[in-house]
Amino acid sequence: MTKVVSMQAAIAAHVRDGDTVVIEGFTHLINFAAGHEIIRQGRKNLTLCRLTPDLIYDQMIAAGCAKKLVFSWAGNPGAGSLHAFRRAVEKGTPPLEIEEYSHFGMVARMSAGAARLPFWVMRNYMGTDLPVANPRIRTVTCPYTGEVLATVPALNPDVTIIAAQRADQNGNAQVWGLLGVQKEAAFASKRVIVVVEELVDESVIRADPNRTLIPGMIVDAVVVEPWGCHPSYAQGHYDRDNDFYVAWEDISRDPAKLEQYLKDYVYGVKDRAEYLAKNPGLTDRLKAKAQVCAGVNYGF
Amino acid sequence: MTKVVSMQAAIAAHVRDGDTVVIEGFTHLINFAAGHEIIRQGRKNLTLCRLTPDLIYDQMIAAGCAKKLVFSWAGNPGAGSLHAFRRAVEKGTPPLEIEEYSHFGMVARMSAGAARLPFWVMRNYMGTDLPVANPRIRTVTCPYTGEVLATVPALNPDVTIIAAQRADQNGNAQVWGLLGVQKEAAFASKRVIVVVEELVDESVIRADPNRTLIPGMIVDAVVVEPWGCHPSYAQGHYDRDNDFYVAWEDISRDPAKLEQYLKDYVYGVKDRAEYLAKNPGLTDRLKAKAQVCAGVNYGF
Amino acid sequence: MMAAVAARELQNGEVVFVGIGLPNLACNLARALQAPELVLIYESGAVGAVPERLPVSIGDPSLVTGSLMVCSMADVFQLFLQNGKIEVGFLGGAQVDRYGNINTTVIGNYQKPKVRLPGSGGAAEIAVHAQRVLIISRLNPRAFPAELDFLTSPGQRCKGQSRRALGMPGAGPVKVITDKGILESDPVSGEMVLTAIYPGVTVEDVKANVGWDLRVRDQLDLVTAPSFVELDLLRHKLDPQKLYLG
Amino acid sequence: MMAAVAARELQNGEVVFVGIGLPNLACNLARALQAPELVLIYESGAVGAVPERLPVSIGDPSLVTGSLMVCSMADVFQLFLQNGKIEVGFLGGAQVDRYGNINTTVIGNYQKPKVRLPGSGGAAEIAVHAQRVLIISRLNPRAFPAELDFLTSPGQRCKGQSRRALGMPGAGPVKVITDKGILESDPVSGEMVLTAIYPGVTVEDVKANVGWDLRVRDQLDLVTAPSFVELDLLRHKLDPQKLYLG
């Protein structure tokens, strides 16, 4: 039985007001299409978690979806700030709770969640103000050496949205290029939506099982959404739209411009196809060149 | 500068009397050639660690290399017992200390070693006699929930020997098929020897970086040893020699037969090439059929 | 017979942690019959395996070729097993006690064993985490003693404590499939109770092979003998070399 | 200038954890000159990257194509960084104090910040674990205050305690490379001491831009100006669009 549904149906079924939501992807494979659909469906009071909130959470904060942000680096790399995030934290418009870790801390929280352990151990944070700002960063004593080590609590989201280059209809998903913390986030989550550039036959997955990052058994919905990560990217499919990341500095700095952006590109389109139609030339400009590796022998 | 050396040179340089040694590989990619060379060079007082001691550690125990065995399952799967191991434990001939975990416990010990943490946390062992038999299995209390969880101590071997299908001359090694606990064992270790079926140009590695399991920066020596894993196997190169695993039941049950086996196939040959010459027909019988997967696009 | 009976326990689409030998036969029989979408996971890291030959070991290359996913053993134990994703686990053992506790470690004293067995492997954690565990073991008095020599894998009660009190997530061993009958764990006491016998077997036959005073359910089921289809698949397709079938 | 000076700190074959911006320029300059076998690791998971364009972010696709290895971020932080495999880490920050402690979190009060900065990212753990850390920061009084508003990444002494006492494995920040001179940590006190100045810069220039009473080494080195080769590479090959060069 196929799990393939439209983005509208996947978000309607699996993302609820008040949920703890993870849209992961470290620079690579950040699924903007899902974030836009959550905005369009008017979800409220979400606890948004991610290492790098990136532009998509900046948009969701501006659109009023977020009650709380759990993160480790909130900037626009190489381009500036996430101004909607900054307005929320600096001026309270709109109000936003924050819970802050380092990257390693966020990765560790998801690793604990994925392993269904209540915490994860690391050597970190000594001497810093991070445990002062966030009392959920604690310590544990090693039962062998007596050493005191840092801990972070498990993160177990209600729903995690992961982008992948390809999956079969059961959600067995393959990813190459940067892997980020997607596997851990998906296994930590109660529900998982996989959004793919390409739906493939199960035989394609089975031909190269070492590439599978997410097994279908943990996936609730598969959405086929080519170019769903723009302005983020999908290795082998399309490049990162660095120009848009630079442009965001200007857009997000001005609440009116940001509002106009949402009107034009989120509320003003009904799905990703319409979004692409509103960005003429985009696919020609960013389409990936071919650099295909050789296969390996799985025979015996 | 190349790290490629002969098996003799690699073992002479990196495996010393009294060392804690790991030859990993879960059924797949167990490097018998390295074990045989350790026997030939007469290493003593080794602490041998592995999830499944398998035939190679049975041979090393019989040859008098081992002072201690750290393990989680000591049998000959589907075929019977490791009789040299059993004689050592049941009759003390030769004497052998043991330290015993479950598979998850051994994996966790190597994960801790690889992360340079003194211990690893798991939900396990409650109600069993394993922590009674092995007081290094302890507990820790979660700083968030108060739950008591099991711990195992880190394992940091002196030397780990890993087999891979291919590597470049710096030891950047790629593996497909079963991955076992090789990555964790290698990162946990002070020294690493990588033994490969095929030495390839660095460009082959760089063409498909997601396949790299072990980075060259942690590798001390690269040994090129085709068929080095027989009677274990290398996916895409040759099949497991199940007949030999069955035959081992009979060989290892009789100390005289085992001694004769070592004389003929270990002491009686100077290297893997001579071992293969003593097993005519082997390579024809076990050579893998071709079942090559398609490549993926790394372009942008 | 045991393989056929075990196979009937598996439902289509379930996620099964497969051990070697009879469990492997049972799973592949179930796939060929009522459960074509059974997801087989091996502790070696093969997920969704479709072995085209009967694998001799749980790390056989035929488990990798054509599987859905291959992952590290750290992932197998943390992300699949400890995470609670395994619905059914199979265990066997040299000794099984009245609560389904299993010994696969030693016969005799741990420090000076009479017979050294292989040890836990993944059994201890399968017993803790699988949503339910099926034990497969031939019935004889040595294999079903009143007291284990060593407790390797936890059953329904360990040394007087319940699974819940000990913090074990899975339901533990719910059935013991033997070559004479089936025992099931009592939901209250956790004790293994005889609930079904094979054709031609008497309750006394079973009791004579168990080292404790075995409880017997009032209404005993009669196990249906393997069908022609089951036997044909087992004997001619799944284990033609009789590696595991007696 | 800072990129060129930072590049000179890198030795051939070293394993460097690369941040975005100037550290990335410095590493690629070093690769083009004295350190062709520098191993660049990005926290995004690219190991041994050979970017054919100047990556705008540390997750740029050009870091993946042709790299030696791509791994998960859990592996980056546990197997590479916490394992001690990173020889050099680069850090920058809005505020750097006398012990090389860094603030990248907030200006003002944490609960009600005047300026909310991005936060730690991987900086806190790089500061703990890299074998040595190089700080790159333009010199001005706001960036080098007597007191940090928030301590994100630990330097040589945190709140009166040494790195050793706090259990940090790496040597921490050993140099602060600025646009006027270089500070180095005193091996005993851990304090950052001015040890070299750029051509045309006076000690008073430097001191006027530092919020504490900066110690100055008796024998000050003069930093060699960027060579024609260095400048040419930076301006025409590595950053032709002047993304990071002023």
Side-chain angles (χ1 to χ4, degrees):
Chain A
M1 205 185 60
T2 179
K3 294 174 185 169
V4 177
V5 294
S6 69
M7 183 65 86
Q8 286 96 325
I11 299 300
H14 298 295
V15 182
R16 299 156 197 170
D17 284 353
D19 271 358
T20 296
V21 176
V22 169
I23 304 178
E24 256 306 332
F26 192 84
T27 317
H28 185 213
L29 292 172
I30 305 171
N31 195 256
F32 278 68
H36 286 180
E37 184 60 27
I38 290 171
I39 294 174
R40 271 193 295 272
Q41 295 194 14
R43 289 292 174 286
K44 299 287 175 212
N45 295 316
L46 303 179
T47 294
L48 298 177
C49 313
R50 240 181 96 76
L51 275 66
T52 56
D54 206 81
L55 274 49
I56 187 59
Y57 279 13
D58 211 32
Q59 294 172 15
M60 292 168 80
I61 291 166
C65 301
K67 178 184 70 181
K68 182 174 180 178
L69 182 71
V70 182
F71 73 104
S72 45
W73 196 84
N76 180 357
S81 292
L82 303 175
H83 290 284
F85 158 76
R86 283 187 55 186
R87 276 191 294 277
V89 175
E90 294 170 7
K91 304 200 174 73
T93 52
L96 182 71
E97 296 168 49
I98 61 170
E99 183 178 325
E100 183 169 4
Y101 299 85
S102 63
H103 279 350
F104 191 5
M106 283 296 285
V107 170
R109 291 197 66 193
M110 293 189 192
S111 298
R116 292 297 189 276
L117 289 175
F119 69 105
W120 203 256
V121 181
M122 57 205 303
R123 195 175 274 109
N124 212 349
Y125 301 130
M126 49 288 253
T128 79
D129 285 330
L130 287 161
V132 181
N134 181 355
R136 303 197 76 198
I137 299 174
R138 298 183 188 167
T139 61
V140 75
T141 302
C142 172
Y144 303 93
T145 63
E147 188 181 0
V148 176
L149 294 148
T151 61
V152 290
L155 177 62
N156 287 104
D158 293 304
V159 58
T160 289
I161 301 170
I162 293 297
Q165 280 106 334
R166 66 188 181 200
D168 65 22
Q169 61 170 9
N170 293 308
N172 294 291
Q174 300 193 325
V175 174
W176 57 96
L178 299 177
L179 307 174
V181 71
Q182 278 97 309
K183 183 177 65 179
E184 291 80 3
F187 274 95
S189 194
K190 297 189 186 77
R191 301 185 293 280
V192 175
I193 301 172
V194 167
V195 187
V196 295
E197 293 297 321
E198 193 187 359
L199 185 70
V200 296
D201 191 79
E202 189 179 298
S203 62
V204 173
I205 303 295
R206 289 191 183 275
D208 192 359
N210 282 99
R211 288 238 196 260
T212 306
L213 189 71
I214 311 283
M217 73 175 76
I218 70 166
V219 174
D220 296 278
V222 176
V223 177
V224 185
E225 197 75 285
W227 295 84
C229 296
H230 175 268
S232 169
Y233 73 99
Q235 193 95 31
H237 288 263
Y238 45 92
D239 197 358
R240 188 171 188 263
D241 191 351
N242 290 318
D243 293 348
F244 184 79
Y245 274 83
V246 171
W248 187 253
E249 170 66 14
D250 187 50
I251 297 169
S252 71
R253 190 186 281 277
D254 178 346
K257 277 192 191 166
L258 204 168
E259 188 55 34
Q260 191 60 46
Y261 175 82
L262 293 179
K263 271 187 191 151
D264 291 345
Y265 292 96
V266 182
Y267 297 116
V269 300
K270 80 170 202 296
D271 58 17
R272 200 63 174 176
E274 286 195 13
Y275 170 91
L276 287 173
K278 277 224 175 178
N279 284 283
L282 183 80
T283 55
D284 286 342
R285 177 164 61 89
L286 296 172
K287 192 171 169 44
K289 292 180 287 288
Q291 187 155 344
V292 178
C293 69
V296 299
N297 186 8
Y298 277 98
F300 60 89
Chain B
M1 206 184 60
T2 179
K3 294 175 184 168
V4 177
V5 295
S6 70
M7 184 64 87
Q8 286 96 327
I11 300 300
H14 297 295
V15 183
R16 299 156 198 170
D17 285 353
D19 271 358
T20 296
V21 177
V22 169
I23 303 177
E24 256 308 331
F26 192 84
T27 318
H28 185 214
L29 292 172
I30 305 170
N31 195 257
F32 277 69
H36 287 181
E37 184 60 27
I38 290 171
I39 294 174
R40 272 194 293 272
Q41 293 193 15
R43 288 294 175 284
K44 299 284 174 215
N45 294 317
L46 302 179
T47 295
L48 298 177
C49 312
R50 233 178 105 77
L51 276 66
T52 56
D54 206 80
L55 274 49
I56 186 58
Y57 278 14
D58 210 33
Q59 294 173 15
M60 292 169 80
I61 291 165
C65 301
K67 178 183 69 180
K68 183 174 179 177
L69 181 71
V70 182
F71 73 104
S72 44
W73 196 83
N76 181 357
S81 292
L82 303 175
H83 290 283
F85 158 76
R86 283 187 55 185
R87 277 190 294 277
V89 174
E90 294 170 8
K91 305 201 173 72
T93 52
L96 181 72
E97 296 169 49
I98 61 170
E99 183 178 327
E100 182 169 5
Y101 299 84
S102 64
H103 279 349
F104 192 4
M106 283 296 284
V107 170
R109 292 198 64 193
M110 294 190 191
S111 297
R116 293 296 190 273
L117 289 175
F119 68 106
W120 203 256
V121 181
M122 58 205 302
R123 194 175 276 111
N124 213 349
Y125 301 131
M126 50 287 253
T128 79
D129 285 330
L130 286 161
V132 181
N134 181 356
R136 302 196 76 199
I137 298 173
R138 297 183 188 166
T139 60
V140 75
T141 302
C142 172
Y144 302 93
T145 63
E147 188 181 0
V148 175
L149 294 149
T151 62
V152 291
L155 177 62
N156 288 104
D158 293 304
V159 58
T160 289
I161 301 170
I162 294 295
Q165 279 105 335
R166 65 189 182 199
D168 66 22
Q169 60 170 10
N170 293 308
N172 295 292
Q174 299 192 325
V175 174
W176 57 97
L178 299 178
L179 306 173
V181 70
Q182 278 97 311
K183 183 176 67 179
E184 292 80 3
F187 273 95
S189 194
K190 298 188 184 79
R191 301 184 295 279
V192 175
I193 301 172
V194 167
V195 187
V196 294
E197 292 297 322
E198 192 187 1
L199 185 71
V200 295
D201 191 78
E202 190 178 298
S203 63
V204 173
I205 303 296
R206 289 190 182 276
D208 192 1
N210 282 98
R211 286 236 197 260
T212 306
L213 190 72
I214 310 283
M217 72 174 76
I218 69 166
V219 173
D220 295 278
V222 176
V223 177
V224 185
E225 197 76 285
W227 294 84
C229 296
H230 175 269
S232 169
Y233 74 99
Q235 192 95 30
H237 287 264
Y238 46 91
D239 197 358
R240 188 169 188 262
D241 191 351
N242 289 320
D243 293 348
F244 184 80
Y245 274 83
V246 171
W248 187 252
E249 170 67 14
D250 186 51
I251 297 169
S252 71
R253 190 185 281 278
D254 178 347
K257 277 193 191 167
L258 203 168
E259 189 55 34
Q260 191 60 45
Y261 175 82
L262 293 179
K263 270 188 191 150
D264 291 344
Y265 292 96
V266 182
Y267 297 116
V269 300
K270 79 171 202 296
D271 58 17
R272 199 63 175 176
E274 286 195 11
Y275 171 91
L276 287 173
K278 278 225 174 176
N279 284 283
L282 183 79
T283 56
D284 286 342
R285 178 164 59 90
L286 297 171
K287 193 170 169 44
K289 294 178 286 290
Q291 187 155 345
V292 178
C293 68
V296 298
N297 187 8
Y298 277 98
F300 60 88
Chain C
M1 180 80 181
M2 289 197 290
V5 172
R8 296 173 194 161
E9 295 291 325
L10 301 170
Q11 286 156 37
N12 197 18
E14 280 194 311
V15 178
V16 186
F17 210 76
V18 190
I20 213 59
L22 287 178
N24 188 76
L25 268 182
C27 291
N28 281 295
L29 180 60
R31 275 182 60 224
L33 295 171
Q34 83 279 11
E37 288 165 48
L38 203 64
V39 180
L40 310 188
I41 300 192
Y42 292 76
E43 65 188 10
S44 57
V47 177
V50 285
E52 66 172 48
R53 68 182 182 196
L54 183 68
V56 173
S57 87
I58 47 177
D60 196 79
S62 67
L63 300 173
V64 165
T65 314
S67 68
L68 284 173
M69 178 179 191
V70 175
C71 64
S72 72
M73 292 185 75
D75 283 356
V76 169
F77 287 111
Q78 295 185 128
L79 304 190
F80 287 91
L81 186 59
Q82 189 170 261
N83 185 299
K85 292 287 179 279
I86 306 299
E87 294 174 288
V88 187
F90 279 102
L91 293 177
Q95 297 182 330
V96 179
D97 79 5
R98 114 173 21 211
Y99 293 109
N101 296 300
I102 298 176
N103 172 20
T104 53
T105 302
V106 286
I107 302 298
N109 176 276
Y110 182 77
Q111 299 302 333
K112 295 211 168 278
K114 207 172 118 209
V115 181
R116 175 64 224 202
L117 304 167
S120 162
E125 39 266 9
I126 292 169
V128 169
H129 290 287
Q131 290 177 28
R132 68 180 199 273
V133 169
L134 302 174
I135 298 176
I136 303 187
S137 181
R138 276 175 217 284
L139 207 64
N140 70 62
R142 277 177 305 142
F144 287 78
E147 292 279 334
L148 301 182
D149 290 357
F150 190 95
L151 201 168
T152 314
S153 305
Q156 294 298 342
R157 293 184 75 81
C158 304
K159 302 165 191 179
Q161 287 195 281
S162 72
R163 292 180 68 85
R164 188 177 296 256
L166 289 163
M168 290 188 228
V174 292
K175 286 201 184 181
V176 183
I177 295 164
T178 77
D179 53 342
K180 296 189 192 300
I182 298 172
L183 319 186
E184 292 183 51
S185 66
D186 180 272
V188 178
S189 69
E191 193 172 333
M192 294 295 162
V193 178
L194 182 65
T195 57
I197 50 174
Y198 288 18
V201 174
T202 67
V203 170
E204 289 317 305
D205 282 349
V206 175
K207 289 190 109 174
N209 281 291
V210 172
W212 67 88
D213 185 15
L214 180 67
R215 282 177 52 199
V216 179
R217 197 171 67 184
D218 292 345
Q219 295 259 307
L220 266 192
D221 291 334
L222 186 68
V223 179
T224 311
S227 68
F228 174 77
V229 173
E230 286 170 333
L231 286 176
D232 185 59
L233 276 165
L234 284 170
R235 287 181 182 156
H236 300 121
K237 185 145 174 260
L238 297 171
D239 189 15
Q241 297 178 280
K242 299 210 182 301
L243 282 171
Y244 298 107
L245 296 172
Chain D
M1 180 78 180
M2 290 197 290
V5 172
R8 296 173 193 160
E9 295 291 326
L10 300 170
Q11 286 156 36
N12 198 19
E14 279 193 312
V15 178
V16 187
F17 209 77
V18 190
I20 211 59
L22 287 176
N24 189 75
L25 267 182
C27 290
N28 281 294
L29 180 61
R31 276 182 59 224
L33 296 170
Q34 82 279 10
E37 289 164 47
L38 204 64
V39 179
L40 310 189
I41 299 191
Y42 292 77
E43 66 187 9
S44 56
V47 177
V50 286
E52 68 173 44
R53 67 183 182 195
L54 183 67
V56 173
S57 86
I58 48 178
D60 196 80
S62 67
L63 300 172
V64 165
T65 315
S67 68
L68 285 173
M69 177 178 190
V70 174
C71 64
S72 72
M73 293 185 76
D75 284 356
V76 168
F77 288 111
Q78 294 186 128
L79 304 190
F80 287 91
L81 186 58
Q82 189 169 262
N83 186 300
K85 292 288 179 280
I86 306 299
E87 294 175 288
V88 188
F90 279 102
L91 293 176
Q95 298 182 329
V96 179
D97 79 5
R98 122 181 3 219
Y99 294 110
N101 296 301
I102 297 175
N103 171 20
T104 53
T105 302
V106 286
I107 302 298
N109 176 276
Y110 182 77
Q111 300 299 336
K112 294 211 167 277
K114 208 172 117 207
V115 181
R116 175 64 224 201
L117 304 167
S120 164
E125 40 266 7
I126 293 168
V128 169
H129 289 286
Q131 290 176 27
R132 68 181 199 275
V133 169
L134 303 173
I135 298 175
I136 304 187
S137 182
R138 278 175 216 286
L139 208 63
N140 70 63
R142 276 178 306 142
F144 287 78
E147 292 280 336
L148 301 182
D149 290 356
F150 190 95
L151 201 168
T152 314
S153 306
Q156 293 298 340
R157 293 185 75 80
C158 304
K159 304 167 189 177
Q161 286 195 281
S162 72
R163 292 180 68 84
R164 188 177 298 255
L166 289 163
M168 291 187 228
V174 293
K175 286 198 183 181
V176 183
I177 296 164
T178 77
D179 54 341
K180 295 189 191 303
I182 297 172
L183 318 186
E184 291 183 51
S185 66
D186 180 272
V188 179
S189 69
E191 193 172 334
M192 294 295 162
V193 177
L194 182 65
T195 57
I197 50 174
Y198 287 15
V201 174
T202 68
V203 170
E204 288 318 304
D205 281 347
V206 175
K207 290 189 111 177
N209 282 290
V210 172
W212 66 88
D213 185 17
L214 181 68
R215 281 176 54 199
V216 178
R217 196 171 68 184
D218 291 348
Q219 295 258 306
L220 266 193
D221 292 335
L222 186 67
V223 178
T224 311
S227 68
F228 174 78
V229 173
E230 287 170 332
L231 287 176
D232 184 58
L233 276 166
L234 285 170
R235 287 179 184 157
H236 301 121
K237 181 140 176 267
L238 297 171
D239 188 15
Q241 297 176 279
K242 297 206 184 305
L243 282 172
Y244 298 107
L245 297 171

